Amino acid sequence: MAAQTDHGVPLSTLSPKFLHSNSTSHTWPFSAIAELIDNAYDPDVSAKQFWIDKTVVKGKECLSFMDNGNGLDHETMHKMLSFGYSDKIAMNGQEPIGIYGNGFKSGSMRLGKDAVVFSKSKRTSCVGMLSQTYLEMIGANQIIVPIVSFEERNTNKYILYLIQ
Ligand SMILES: Nc1ncnc2c1ncn2[C@@H]1O[C@H](COP(=O)(O)OP(=O)(O)OP(=O)(O)O)[C@@H](O)[C@H]1O
Ligand SMILES: [Mg+2]
């Protein structure tokens, strides 16, 4: 049965096919790349440098985007891989470009079928995955986003979170 609220009202869900549909708003790949650059430039991340590279992983061509801005923790990684959550505010007079909470999803899914996000902040390292191939392989009827995060608790001790 579909997920419901405590009052029995059905929750809206998101089909994995939506990942492709949503990406078709980018009529050419450069607007998709621009979404990723905008995110790094926005005041919450405030990256000073941005690197774009192309590599081959297990015979598959793979684009990589890396910035040296502020990283994510488990909760913000979950928001990044979800839809419509954007709470950017102006900082030091810099207005954010992002407002819709959709650019990463539409942009990354325009460039590839699968995205793996690695992030490191002061105390947390996390990896999240938005993957059409994975969702097809497991026959998912909703979008699920596996996230693994390591949080430093005190010296040499880490907590490992596994959310799927
Ligand atoms: N390079 C990055 N480093 C750290 N956090 C990021 C990065 N890219 C995205 N995020 C986080 O993921 C969230 C989702 O990004 P997304 O581009 O989907 O939405 P947005 O930028 O808030 O709005 P818009 O749809 O208008 O671009 C951002 O709000 C930000 O918190
Ligand atoms: Mg954005």
Side-chain angles (χ1 to χ4, degrees), residues 35-36 38-39 42 88 97-104:
E35 293 285 0
L36 308 180
D38 288 350
N39 282 346
D42 264 343
K88 292 178 177 177
I97 303 163
I99 43 173
Y100 299 118
N102 190 41
F104 169 73

Side-chain angles (χ1 to χ4, degrees), residues 35-36 39-40 42 44-45 67 70-72 76 79-80 82 85-88 97-105 119:
E35 293 285 0
L36 308 180
N39 282 346
D42 264 343
D44 58 327
V45 179
D67 66 66
N70 298 320
L72 299 151
T76 48
K79 278 190 175 168
M80 177 170 180
S82 301
Y85 299 95
S86 184
D87 43 22
K88 292 178 177 177
I97 303 163
I99 43 173
Y100 299 118
N102 190 41
F104 169 73
K105 279 70 68 178
S119 182

